[in-house]
Amino acid sequence: MPSKSQELFRKALRLMPGGVNSPVRAFRAVGGDPVFISSGKGSRITDVDGRSYIDFVMSWGPLVLGHCHPEVVEAVAKALGTGTSFGASTAAEVVLAECLVEAFPSMERVRLVSSGTEATISAVRVARAATGREKILKFEGCYHGHGDSFLVKAGSGVATLGLPDSPGVPRALAELTITVPFNDTQALEEAFRVHHRQLAAAVVEPVAGNMGVVPPREGFLEKLRSLTAEHGTVLIFDEVITGFRIAYGGAQQTCRVQPDLTTLGKIIGGGLPVGAYGGKAALMDLVAPVGPVYQAGTLSGNPLAVSAGLKTLEILRRPGTYDRLNSLSEKLTAGLGAEAKRAGVALAINRVASMFTPFFTRGPVVDYASARKAETSAFAGFFRAMLEQGVYFPPSQFEAAFVSAAHSEDDVQKTIAAAAKAFAKVAGIPKAVVD
Ligand SMILES: *Cc1c(COP(=O)(O)O)cnc(C)c1O
C-alpha cells in the first residue's frame, strides 16, 4: 500500500512540475519519493505518515534556532494579530534594518526584499548602475538564486540535476557572466586581465555552501578584494546562507574582508520569506527613490517576516549561542568522520561553523571540480539509509547540512550511530570510476 507521502507525490506530479515548488525537493539525486512534511518542532520534523526525523536541512539554512522556537512563534503570532501587510512603513522594519547595519559594518544602508534571489538580482543591478559596466564575474559552483545572470555554472539544484547552463536565459545576458573556479587566484587574475574595466561586479559566496560546503583558501578573498578595488569592480558577498550563520556578522566578520555590497536572506527571516541587500551609502543611494535604480516589492519588509527575523536575531545575540552551535557541529562531523573511517568509506567532510557537507570522495574538496569527484551513488545510498533510520539530510551531495541551536547531544549521538550503519551499507556500493 502506498504511503500518504507517495499518494500526495503522485497527485503533486500531475499539478506541479516534478511535483514540487523547488527542484531539489523532488529527491531526483537520491532516488525514491520525497517525504511530505506535516510539522516540525525543535530539531525534528514529522512526515504525513507520522514518521519523525532529526532534521539537518532546516529549511536549507533559515532555521538556525530549529523549528517553531517558542519565542519566534510568539513574536509572529503577535504580529499576525496586528496586520499581515500594509504596503507602508512600519517601526519593526526600521529595527531590523538597524540590526543588520550593526551586525555588518560594511553595510551603511540596507533594503529589505522577499528572497535571496531578489537580493542578488538587485545588488547586481546597483553594481551595473554604479560602474556603467555590464559584465559580472561569478565562481563555478556558487549559487546566487535563480536570476538570469546567475544561472551560469551555478551550484545548488542546478549542480544536483547536472543542468546545462541557462536554457531560457538570453544568450546576450549569459555572455555577460564570466565564471572562474572558486579558490583559484591565478584564474581570477587572468579574468581581471582579460575583462579589464568591463566587470561591474564580482559576486561570491565567501564560504561556498551550494556545491556542498567549501571554505575559501587562505588569501583567496583577500586577492578578490584587492583585484576588485584595483579595477573599480563592485565586490558583492552573497551571505544569504553565511550571514548570521558562520558568525553573527557573517563570513565577512571571520575572514576580515569587507565587501562593497552584501546580500542576506534565510536566517534574517527566521523561516519566513525575507532577503536584504546593502552596503556603502554611495552605492545604496543609487536605489529609488533617492537614485534612479528601480527596485520595489509589494511584500518587502513584510511585518510577519520581519517579526520572525527580529526575534531570531535577538536570540542569536545571547551569549554562548554560536559557541554551542559550533562545538555541537564539530562533535557531529568528528563522529561521522570516525565512523566512515571504521567502515572504510572515503569521506571528506568540509565544515565551517554549523554548516557541513560529507563528500563521498577522498578529497580534498576545494572547488566545484573536486566536489564533482564525489560518488553521488554512495551519497544517495547514505541518504536513504539515514532517512530509513529517521535522519533527514539534504537530498543532494552538493548541498550544505545545517545544525541548529535546537539540536541536542542526543541528536548528535543518534545521528552518528545511524551513520555507522549507513556507511556499512555504502561500503558495499561498487565504486564509480573517478578521475
Ligand atoms: C538560498 C540562496 C540564495 C537564494 O535565496 P532564495 O531565498 O532561495 O531566493 C542566494 N544565494 C545563496 C548563497 C543562497 O544559498
Side-chain angles (χ1 to χ4, degrees):
M1 215 179 74
S3 66
K4 280 188 187 153
S5 279
Q6 284 169 328
E7 276 173 17
L8 279 169
F9 191 49
R10 236 174 263 171
K11 187 168 181 186
L13 280 170
R14 290 197 301 270
L15 297 166
M16 296 180 276
V20 292
N21 283 316
S22 198
V24 188
R25 296 180 195 171
F27 279 29
R28 289 275 173 105
V30 291
D33 291 339
V35 289
F36 281 62
I37 308 304
S38 60
S39 66
K41 183 84 194 137
S43 64
R44 289 182 174 264
I45 49 176
T46 303
D47 72 15
V48 289
D49 293 291
R51 297 196 55 192
S52 164
Y53 308 87
I54 302 171
D55 182 16
F56 290 101
V57 176
M58 286 292 156
S59 186
W60 303 94
L63 298 178
V64 67
L65 302 177
H67 297 273
C68 285
H69 188 288
E71 290 176 68
V72 176
V73 171
E74 193 192 332
V76 175
K78 209 170 143 200
L80 187 59
T82 51
T84 56
S85 184
F86 307 110
S89 297
T90 64
E93 67 186 355
V94 183
V95 183
L96 182 56
E98 189 175 32
C99 279
L100 301 181
V101 166
E102 277 173 8
F104 288 78
S106 70
M107 217 186 247
E108 291 172 336
R109 297 213 213 300
V110 63
R111 167 68 58 87
L112 298 182
V113 292
S114 297
S115 71
T117 293
E118 261 191 274
T120 54
I121 289 174
S122 308
V124 164
R125 188 177 299 149
V126 169
R128 283 178 165 149
T131 56
R133 305 174 187 174
E134 296 197 329
K135 288 185 185 172
I136 64 165
L137 183 140
K138 77 176 280 290
F139 296 90
E140 291 171 15
C142 281
Y143 178 70
H144 306 290
H146 66 86
D148 283 347
S149 294
F150 301 115
L151 293 180
V152 180
K153 300 204 172 152
S156 192
V158 184
T160 298
L161 300 173
L163 295 177
D165 288 340
S166 57
V169 173
R171 175 170 308 190
L173 194 57
E175 279 171 1
L176 296 175
T177 302
I178 313 302
T179 63
V180 166
F182 191 74
N183 272 333
D184 187 338
T185 47
Q186 243 177 335
L188 193 57
E189 281 179 340
E190 177 67 10
F192 272 93
R193 202 181 55 70
V194 172
H195 303 283
H196 180 63
R197 301 227 144 266
Q198 297 171 55
L199 292 171
V203 54
V204 69
E205 294 179 72
V207 171
N210 285 294
M211 53 182 124
V213 173
V214 178
R217 267 197 188 121
E218 191 77 44
F220 171 65
L221 295 173
E222 289 80 356
K223 188 79 199 171
L224 181 59
R225 178 65 281 185
S226 63
L227 282 169
T228 46
E230 187 187 322
H231 290 263
T233 298
V234 176
L235 177 57
I236 304 172
F237 273 11
D238 182 352
E239 298 231 40
V240 169
I241 288 185
T242 52
F244 300 96
R245 164 67 61 181
I246 305 277
Y248 191 76
Q252 57 195 266
Q253 177 184 320
T254 53
C255 74
R256 297 201 182 82
V257 175
Q258 302 286 295
D260 302 306
L261 290 174
T262 299
T263 56
L264 296 168
K266 299 194 169 124
I267 287 176
I268 65 164
L272 277 81
V274 187
Y277 67 104
K280 294 179 177 158
L283 286 170
M284 290 306 290
D285 284 349
L286 291 170
V287 178
V290 185
V293 178
Y294 198 70
Q295 182 273 308
T298 302
L299 292 175
S300 292
N302 173 260
L304 286 188
V306 166
S307 70
L310 265 180
K311 185 54 77 174
T312 298
L313 300 193
E314 180 197 318
I315 294 167
L316 285 174
R317 284 195 296 273
R318 292 177 190 160
T321 308
Y322 285 94
D323 288 344
R324 190 183 164 277
L325 260 176
N326 297 347
S327 70
L328 202 60
S329 307
E330 186 183 3
K331 233 175 246 179
L332 175 58
T333 51
L336 293 179
E339 292 302 339
K341 200 167 174 189
R342 193 166 303 153
V345 171
L347 195 71
I349 304 180
N350 282 359
R351 179 184 70 84
V352 178
S354 55
M355 55 195 277
F356 69 98
T357 302
F359 289 99
F360 285 79
T361 171
R362 248 166 255 293
V365 176
V366 297
D367 55 16
Y368 190 48
S370 47
R372 274 275 162 207
K373 285 183 186 164
E375 304 216 22
T376 50
S377 59
F379 178 85
F382 169 77
F383 170 85
R384 287 195 302 268
M386 294 301 274
L387 194 70
E388 272 163 31
Q389 297 178 83
V391 183
Y392 189 78
F393 263 74
S396 164
Q397 173 70 96
F398 307 110
E399 297 286 357
F402 297 99
V403 177
S404 80
H407 285 87
S408 63
E409 295 276 345
D410 185 54
D411 290 331
V412 165
Q413 294 316 323
K414 282 194 172 116
T415 302
I416 293 169
K421 289 186 190 162
F423 289 140
K425 279 192 189 171
V426 169
I429 293 176
K431 292 243 184 299
V433 181
V434 277
D435 288 326

Short mmCIF file of all heavy atoms in Angstrom, two decimals, residues 15 98 171 184 243 282 310 330 332-333 374 405 409 422:
data_model
loop_
_atom_site.label_atom_id
_atom_site.label_comp_id
_atom_site.label_asym_id
_atom_site.label_seq_id
_atom_site.Cartn_x
_atom_site.Cartn_y
_atom_site.Cartn_z
N LEU A 15 0.19 18.10 -10.92
CA LEU A 15 -0.19 19.50 -10.72
C LEU A 15 0.97 20.48 -10.77
O LEU A 15 0.78 21.66 -11.08
CB LEU A 15 -0.90 19.64 -9.36
CG LEU A 15 -2.20 18.85 -9.25
CD1 LEU A 15 -2.65 18.77 -7.79
CD2 LEU A 15 -3.28 19.51 -10.10
N GLU A 98 18.28 48.34 11.35
CA GLU A 98 19.31 48.75 12.31
C GLU A 98 20.13 47.55 12.78
O GLU A 98 21.36 47.62 12.87
CB GLU A 98 18.64 49.45 13.50
CG GLU A 98 19.60 50.12 14.45
CD GLU A 98 18.88 50.89 15.55
OE1 GLU A 98 17.77 50.46 15.96
OE2 GLU A 98 19.41 51.92 16.00
N ARG A 171 21.03 34.50 -24.53
CA ARG A 171 22.47 34.32 -24.68
C ARG A 171 23.21 35.63 -24.42
O ARG A 171 24.26 35.65 -23.78
CB ARG A 171 22.77 33.82 -26.09
CG ARG A 171 24.26 33.73 -26.39
CD ARG A 171 24.52 33.02 -27.67
NE ARG A 171 23.81 31.74 -27.66
CZ ARG A 171 23.98 30.78 -28.56
NH1 ARG A 171 24.83 30.95 -29.54
NH2 ARG A 171 23.32 29.66 -28.48
N ASP A 184 40.66 29.82 -7.00
CA ASP A 184 41.74 29.83 -7.98
C ASP A 184 42.17 31.28 -8.23
O ASP A 184 41.62 31.98 -9.07
CB ASP A 184 41.25 29.17 -9.27
CG ASP A 184 42.36 28.97 -10.30
OD1 ASP A 184 43.39 29.69 -10.21
OD2 ASP A 184 42.19 28.12 -11.18
N GLY A 243 25.37 34.67 6.39
CA GLY A 243 25.02 35.77 7.29
C GLY A 243 24.31 35.25 8.52
O GLY A 243 23.33 34.53 8.40
N ALA A 282 27.08 55.35 -0.67
CA ALA A 282 27.24 55.88 -2.03
C ALA A 282 26.64 54.93 -3.07
O ALA A 282 26.11 55.38 -4.08
CB ALA A 282 28.72 56.11 -2.32
N LEU A 310 13.53 39.47 13.40
CA LEU A 310 13.99 40.26 14.55
C LEU A 310 14.17 39.40 15.79
O LEU A 310 15.18 39.50 16.49
CB LEU A 310 12.95 41.34 14.87
CG LEU A 310 13.18 42.71 14.27
CD1 LEU A 310 12.04 43.64 14.69
CD2 LEU A 310 14.54 43.28 14.69
N GLU A 330 30.97 20.36 15.49
CA GLU A 330 32.29 19.72 15.44
C GLU A 330 32.21 18.28 15.94
O GLU A 330 32.78 17.36 15.35
CB GLU A 330 33.29 20.52 16.28
CG GLU A 330 34.70 19.98 16.15
CD GLU A 330 35.70 20.70 17.04
OE1 GLU A 330 35.29 21.59 17.82
OE2 GLU A 330 36.88 20.35 16.96
N LEU A 332 29.64 16.38 15.85
CA LEU A 332 28.92 15.59 14.85
C LEU A 332 29.85 15.18 13.70
O LEU A 332 29.92 14.01 13.33
CB LEU A 332 27.73 16.38 14.31
CG LEU A 332 26.95 15.75 13.17
CD1 LEU A 332 26.39 14.38 13.54
CD2 LEU A 332 25.81 16.65 12.72
N THR A 333 30.57 16.14 13.15
CA THR A 333 31.40 15.81 11.98
C THR A 333 32.58 14.93 12.38
O THR A 333 32.99 14.06 11.62
CB THR A 333 31.88 17.08 11.25
OG1 THR A 333 32.47 17.97 12.19
CG2 THR A 333 30.73 17.76 10.54
N ALA A 374 33.01 13.56 -6.12
CA ALA A 374 32.32 12.76 -5.11
C ALA A 374 31.42 11.72 -5.79
O ALA A 374 30.88 11.95 -6.86
CB ALA A 374 31.47 13.66 -4.22
N ALA A 405 20.41 25.45 16.79
CA ALA A 405 20.51 25.58 18.24
C ALA A 405 19.57 24.61 18.96
O ALA A 405 19.72 24.38 20.15
CB ALA A 405 20.20 27.02 18.66
N GLU A 409 22.82 16.96 22.16
CA GLU A 409 23.88 15.94 22.19
C GLU A 409 23.30 14.59 21.78
O GLU A 409 23.93 13.81 21.07
CB GLU A 409 24.45 15.80 23.61
CG GLU A 409 25.16 17.04 24.12
CD GLU A 409 26.63 17.09 23.68
OE1 GLU A 409 27.15 16.05 23.23
OE2 GLU A 409 27.22 18.18 23.78
N ALA A 422 24.73 3.28 8.11
CA ALA A 422 24.62 3.74 6.72
C ALA A 422 25.94 3.53 5.97
O ALA A 422 25.95 3.08 4.83
CB ALA A 422 24.21 5.21 6.68
#
